[in-house]
Amino acid sequence: MNTQAQETPDSSTSAVLDSAHLGDIRGAFGTIKQHDTGKRSSWMARFKTFLAIIGPGLIVMVGDNDAGAFSTYTQAGQNYGTTLLWTLMLLIPVLYVNQEMVLRLGVVSGVGHARLILERFGRFWGAFSVIDLFLVNALTIVTEFIGISLGLSFLGVPKIPGVIVSALLIMAAVSTGNFRRFERFAMVLVFASLLLVPVFIMVHPPLSRVAHDFLVPTYPHGAKLSDIMLLVIGIVGTTVAPWQLFFQQSYVIDKRITTRFIKYERWDLVLGIVLVIIGAVAMMSFAAHTFADKPEFGNFVDAGAVASGIAKYYGQLPAELFAIALIDACIIGAAAVSLSTAYALGDVLSMNHSLHRKPKDAIGFYAVYFTLIVIAAALVLIPGTPLGLLTNAVQTLAGVLLPSASVFLLLLCNDKEVLGPWVNGRKLNLFTAAIVAILVMLSVVLTAAVIFPDISGEAIIGILVGGTVLGLLATAIVKIIKSRQLKQLTIVPEKTIYSADITTWRMPALDQLKPMNLTIDTLVWMGVLRGYLIIAMCMVGYKVVRMALG
């Protein structure tokens, strides 16, 4: 057996691409010096450290309860009551596993998600990851401004000045060159998202029913399977979005969090998941109770109509709080989604890309951010813009592209050159692989439903069953081929010994990494994924064009 000793990379070989990503951690609620290696022995010291670290997990999770989430969760409640609450419970481990892997990639590698894909999988996948992220994120930001306009309209604020002021606020928040200032702004929005709790209390849906439907899967009585499946896919796509992966990995890097403080960042993520689930459960529950046994039940229109319904049946105050929470969510969502795009392009193009820098020191980074916000706000204000079509395109493209993001996340988290002793364990790989398989099948169902709007429940079941069978067969064939080839080779397993404490291990510079050794089964599945994405994107694009042309 070959044994290879590997030292911890020193600062001179760091992979960090922007020097602004090195230095003191300056969080919203505290500072940690760059070379602070002191032991946190008391609970107060640990609490102060947590306060300094807290932020990335909260922002990415609460930012996910954006315009699309408000629409999807309230639609589920208004049309089907609380019968789909259990989907949120099932998504909790998925959220944690996905986001924990990207935060681990961020703190260990110091390099953003898009750049790692480019370096480890080649130009095609690197370009694809950035282009699809840019496209989906640009459309997502448009939906955020749609949500802002709906909330402002309910509150009686004129649309044009309201949207312009919101856009200026979102741009001003990031352009101070002060990371702490932005994070404090974001944390105000995070805690303002809790306005959904008093709405829940004032509408007071029955807690016993909410708890039961959250813990026990139920099926809406008399509902079409195809409609339920598409809504469930919408809930999954809203709760687990590709931009989250790119944002959190880059944001923990920009905040200068390293492996020494990874356990605190994990707790930050847990807190963020708690808040996002509270918000989602609240929305689905009070929407269900508001419209139960009312003429509007089963006839969802949009979040603005939900606010009007709350005002009609429970008074103006909870409706106004709901509208304010909607605007709040859209602002933090627009900021986070735009940042994820700007970070990704900065990584891939080797531009300065840090909130620690003023706009004059990171022109390309801020130009991308500002351009996305300006275009999205303008599209919402231009009369005749097909906003409904854009919203549908966002949900569809996000569903189509999510499996590819999850696949690369899983592969990167098993790349020892990148993560060293921080690679995934076997159990985590099995769980994540199962998640990826489910996401792929849901993505296929969503693509088929877009192309064939009248798809039946039987056809959906056929896709799920057929996909499962084909997946198992393909896996078996690849394993057989691989085992036959291995029999012809004599391989001496190599064991790497990490001589330093793993809490100080970080990925060396990108040019020092050995090429990625992709196995046969990985290459086969990547080929299949590439083919599926090309076909699905072409079909969805064709459908969108046809809808646009009428």
Side-chain angles (χ1 to χ4, degrees):
M1 177 180 295
N2 293 336
T3 301
Q4 176 185 356
Q6 185 161 334
E7 300 289 343
T8 301
D10 58 34
S11 59
S12 64
T13 61
S14 171
V16 171
L17 301 174
D18 188 333
S19 60
H21 295 162
L22 297 173
D24 298 344
I25 296 173
R26 302 182 185 276
F29 307 116
T31 300
I32 300 175
K33 295 295 183 180
Q34 181 179 6
H35 301 296
D36 179 357
T37 59
K39 185 177 181 181
R40 272 67 177 170
S41 55
S42 68
W43 72 267
M44 180 56 73
R46 290 191 290 270
F47 180 64
K48 288 181 178 179
T49 301
F50 178 64
L51 287 180
I53 296 296
I54 196 172
L58 281 170
I59 295 170
V60 72
M61 286 290 97
V62 175
D64 192 46
N65 261 359
D66 58 359
F70 268 68
S71 176
T72 303
Y73 299 144
T74 54
Q75 178 185 1
Q78 182 173 344
N79 288 357
Y80 302 106
T82 56
T83 54
L84 295 178
L85 277 174
W86 55 272
T87 58
L88 299 174
M89 184 265 292
L90 294 181
L91 285 173
I92 292 174
V94 177
L95 280 172
Y96 180 79
V97 168
N98 272 9
Q99 296 305 131
E100 190 280 333
M101 285 194 290
V102 289
L103 79 84
R104 185 160 24 104
L105 277 172
V107 299
V108 175
S109 71
V111 176
H113 204 63
R115 184 59 178 266
L116 282 181
I117 293 175
L118 173 67
E119 294 289 338
R120 305 306 284 162
F121 300 100
R123 292 181 179 178
F124 172 85
W125 288 114
F128 182 87
S129 68
V130 173
I131 292 171
D132 73 52
L133 182 75
F134 186 90
L135 176 61
V136 174
N137 282 4
L139 294 175
T140 301
I141 299 164
V142 175
T143 68
E144 308 297 6
F145 279 96
I146 294 173
I148 289 172
S149 66
L150 289 174
L152 293 172
S153 176
F154 180 81
L155 295 173
V157 179
K159 179 178 178 179
I160 294 178
V163 168
I164 292 174
V165 169
S166 298
L168 291 174
L169 176 64
I170 295 168
M171 290 189 287
V174 305
S175 57
T176 64
N178 188 312
F179 185 94
R180 171 173 288 166
R181 195 169 295 158
F182 167 77
E183 187 160 275
R184 284 177 174 171
F185 167 79
M187 295 306 287
V188 170
L189 298 177
V190 165
F191 292 117
S193 70
L194 292 173
L195 287 173
L196 292 170
V197 175
V199 178
F200 178 90
I201 293 172
M202 285 183 270
V203 174
H204 54 81
L207 290 177
S208 59
R209 170 54 59 184
V210 171
H212 176 273
D213 289 349
F214 181 74
L215 297 173
V216 181
T218 54
Y219 184 85
H221 179 70
K224 289 178 59 179
L225 176 60
S226 56
D227 292 340
I228 296 300
M229 280 298 303
L230 291 179
L231 186 54
V232 169
I233 294 171
I235 293 172
V236 173
T238 295
T239 312
V240 187
W243 71 263
Q244 295 171 276
L245 308 180
F246 291 82
F247 173 81
Q248 188 169 15
Q249 184 165 336
S250 292
Y251 193 80
V252 297
I253 294 168
D254 202 7
K255 190 166 181 177
R256 303 164 174 171
I257 298 173
T258 62
T259 50
R260 175 170 171 73
F261 302 105
I262 192 171
K263 64 179 180 180
Y264 294 98
E265 181 49 36
R266 284 169 174 159
W267 279 110
D268 172 41
L269 173 60
V270 169
L271 185 56
I273 292 173
V274 170
L275 289 188
V276 78
I277 294 299
I278 286 174
V281 169
M283 282 188 278
M284 201 179 295
S285 301
F286 63 62
H289 195 61
T290 297
F291 299 106
D293 301 320
K294 303 292 192 305
E296 298 91 342
F297 185 81
N299 299 297
F300 175 81
V301 178
D302 56 35
V306 171
S308 298
I310 294 173
K312 178 180 178 180
Y313 296 112
Y314 289 96
Q316 197 67 17
L317 179 57
E320 289 178 352
L321 291 177
F322 175 79
I324 294 171
L326 171 61
I327 296 170
D328 172 87
C330 293
I331 290 175
I332 191 173
V337 174
S338 300
L339 275 175
S340 74
T341 314
Y343 277 135
L345 286 172
D347 255 324
V348 170
L349 299 178
S350 298
M351 301 185 298
N352 288 338
H353 52 293
S354 172
L355 293 175
H356 293 281
R357 295 184 181 276
K358 292 184 180 296
K360 66 179 181 180
D361 298 323
I363 295 175
F365 172 69
Y366 285 104
V368 171
Y369 183 93
F370 294 157
T371 300
L372 288 170
I373 297 298
V374 170
I375 291 176
L379 285 174
V380 172
L381 294 178
I382 295 174
T385 302
L387 299 179
L389 179 62
L390 291 176
T391 301
N392 290 334
V394 169
Q395 294 177 335
T396 303
L397 288 173
V400 168
L401 298 172
L402 182 57
S404 65
S406 299
V407 166
F408 287 115
L409 176 59
L410 179 59
L411 292 175
L412 286 171
C413 284
N414 282 278
D415 187 347
K416 290 187 177 181
E417 287 293 307
V418 172
L419 286 185
W422 293 94
V423 292
N424 283 0
R426 179 176 175 80
K427 291 182 180 179
L428 181 56
N429 279 333
L430 290 174
F431 180 78
T432 309
I435 291 174
V436 170
I438 293 171
L439 290 176
V440 168
M441 287 190 287
L442 291 179
S443 176
V444 172
V445 170
L446 178 60
T447 305
V450 171
I451 308 304
F452 309 105
D454 298 323
I455 189 170
S456 65
E458 291 76 12
I460 290 176
I461 292 176
I463 291 174
L464 295 176
V465 174
T468 302
V469 172
L470 287 175
L472 292 174
L473 284 175
T475 301
I477 292 171
V478 169
K479 291 296 184 184
I480 292 172
I481 295 173
K482 185 177 179 181
S483 63
R484 288 180 177 177
Q485 290 185 339
L486 289 176
K487 287 180 180 179
Q488 301 173 4
L489 300 173
T490 302
I491 298 177
V492 180
E494 182 180 272
K495 182 178 180 180
T496 302
I497 299 176
Y498 298 95
S499 57
D501 182 354
I502 68 167
T503 60
T504 63
W505 196 95
R506 299 199 75 186
M507 186 184 83
L510 291 170
D511 59 5
Q512 296 182 20
L513 301 182
K514 297 177 182 177
M516 193 169 189
N517 184 24
L518 297 174
T519 60
I520 296 173
D521 49 347
T522 300
L523 289 172
V524 169
W525 285 118
M526 287 179 65
V528 171
L529 178 64
R530 180 184 298 196
Y532 164 70
L533 289 172
I534 292 173
I535 294 171
M537 292 287 285
C538 290
M539 294 176 69
V540 171
Y542 172 73
K543 181 68 175 182
V544 170
V545 171
R546 284 193 58 185
M547 291 174 65
L549 297 176

